Every structure is written in structure tokens, then in C-alpha cells.
Amino acid sequence: MSPTIEYVLFDLDGGMPARLPSKSNLRPGLLIDTEAIYTTVTNTILAPYGKEMTWDIKAGCMGKPGHDSAVYLLSCFPDIPLTAADFLAQCATLQEALWRTTKLLPGAARLLAHLAAHGVPLALATSSRRRHFELKTAHLADAFAAFAGRVVCSDDARYAMRGKPAPDIFLAAAREVLGRDVGAAEGEATPAQCGERAKGLVFEDALFGVQAGKRAGMSVVWIPDDKLLDVEYSGVEKADQTLKSLEEFVPEEWGLPPYAAA
């Protein structure tokens, strides 16, 4: 039986440059579709060097903050004469105009509106930088109004967070923007704080995000690209539920209000 959930934390998207197979119907994010943008930008940068992204490299990047993702990516191509700073600068230039074209993924608008309408405390915890989050979502204000400004981004310096798979960002979101007594990421949590952590549900699409949510002591619903299910990865943390889409989520299985009958 799933634990009864009192608050919900969402990731935003994969948050890293990636390349998809040319013939693919894989789900490209969590709340928004940014995969085509990452694909276009990354291939544009790698093409002069005759390089392309593979899925095992993608799995090692997903969910990491931008700098960490770039460092890992470039470590897989040691003959490319780019630093992480060079790569990120090129990404930023190419992505600026494209972020405004993102679209919500199936089930996202309905789930966010449903939880918000029933007063379920929500927050978003994303490895995207604040400026990138704003560019990706400004044109989707109606859907993201469900968070009412309760958003934690990877470059929010006041929280002094380590990147995923460390649990910092989810604990900061629960503690700082939802006011839950979940304790700090480092140091031993009290039994009461552990109990408060267990009341949280995390939605993620990245392996590092799943690990971060579980290390935060929360339940995790994983909605991965199908291809990620075939990728070998280290870590003992496993998602509590794996779905193909947000459309498959059944709120009452987690003690949340059910959708109204159609």
C-alpha cells in the first residue's frame, strides 16, 4: 500500500542536452517537452566534431545541474576542444529563442490544476537555472500558476544546494517553500522529520532525480523515456512507481483526491 501523501514536488524536464533516435516516440520530459530543443542545440554544437549523443551518456547527464551535465558530456568526448563553460555559452545562445516554444506534456495541465484546486501543497524543484526556467515556462503561465511561485531552481544560491542525486533540492523545496519540517540535507534527521519527509511525493523523469527523491526520504513516481529502462545505472534507490505518462497517474492510490468522474 502506498503511503498517504500530504505534499507533492515536481521536476520540470530532463534538464540536459540529448539526442534521440530519429524514429522515436519517447516521452521527452516530465511537465514540458524540451527534448527537441536539447537535441537541436546539442547536435548543432557537436556536429562540427563529427560527434553525436548516445543513450548511455544521456542517462549519465539527466537531472544534473547544467555545469555538471556539461562536464560529464564532454568527458565522453575528450578530443573535443571545448570547456564546460564554452559548451554552456554556446547552449545558452542557441536556446534563448527556442525555450519559448516549449509545450506541456500529456496529463501535466490536468494533474497540476487538479491538485491545486484541492489545496494539495505543491512545489517545483528543477535542475534548470532560474532564468532558463522562466524562459521555458513564461508562455505556459496558466498551468504553472498551480505552483504560485513555489519554485526552487539549481542556482538559487540562498539554499546552498548540491546537485541531484543529492537530496538537497527536494528537501529545500519542502522546507523553504512549503514550510515542512523535513530537516537539512546533511546531518541526521529526527524521527519526526523522517515522518514528514515520508509524506512527500516526487515526480521525476531522470535517474538522478529518482535517486535524489529517495535519498530525501520521499516516495517517487518515475516517468522515464522508454529507452532509459534499458540503461544500466548504479545506485540502490528505486522508484516507488513507474508510469509511461502523467496521464496514467491515479491520485487516490496515494491518498490524494481522485479526479472527478468523466
Side-chain angles (χ1 to χ4, degrees), residues 130 151-153 156-161 168 172 175-177:
R130 176 70 58 172
V151 176
V152 177
C153 295
D156 290 346
R158 63 188 180 278
Y159 302 135
M161 298 176 297
D168 302 37
R175 182 181 63 248
E176 303 295 339
V177 304

Side-chain angles (χ1 to χ4, degrees), residues 20-166:
L20 287 172
S22 58
K23 296 182 179 179
S24 173
N25 60 356
L26 304 182
R27 189 203 48 75
L30 182 71
L31 294 177
I32 59 174
D33 179 353
T34 55
E35 194 61 57
I37 294 172
Y38 285 127
T39 300
T40 299
V41 168
T42 302
N43 282 345
T44 297
I45 296 172
L46 295 181
Y49 306 101
K51 306 295 184 181
E52 291 184 332
M53 177 73 71
T54 62
W55 268 98
D56 56 340
I57 297 174
K58 173 180 177 176
C61 292
M62 283 186 69
K64 289 183 177 180
H67 180 269
D68 294 347
S69 177
V71 168
Y72 180 84
L73 171 70
L74 293 173
S75 73
C76 299
F77 303 109
D79 55 330
I80 292 181
L82 288 176
T83 65
D86 293 334
F87 179 81
L88 291 173
Q90 291 189 45
C91 283
T93 299
L94 293 169
Q95 289 167 352
E96 284 282 316
L98 296 175
W99 288 141
R100 298 176 177 85
T101 68
T102 58
K103 297 179 180 179
L104 289 165
L105 285 165
R110 183 190 187 203
L111 179 56
L112 292 178
H114 172 74
L115 295 176
H118 286 275
V120 178
L122 305 177
L124 188 137
T126 173
S127 292
S128 292
R129 300 175 67 83
R130 176 70 58 172
R131 172 170 170 74
H132 292 173
F133 162 74
E134 292 171 350
L135 289 171
K136 292 175 183 178
T137 63
H139 60 293
L140 302 171
D142 288 348
F144 282 86
F147 294 112
R150 296 183 295 269
V151 176
V152 177
C153 295
S154 64
D155 61 340
D156 290 346
R158 63 188 180 278
Y159 302 135
M161 298 176 297
R162 297 169 294 175
K164 300 172 185 177

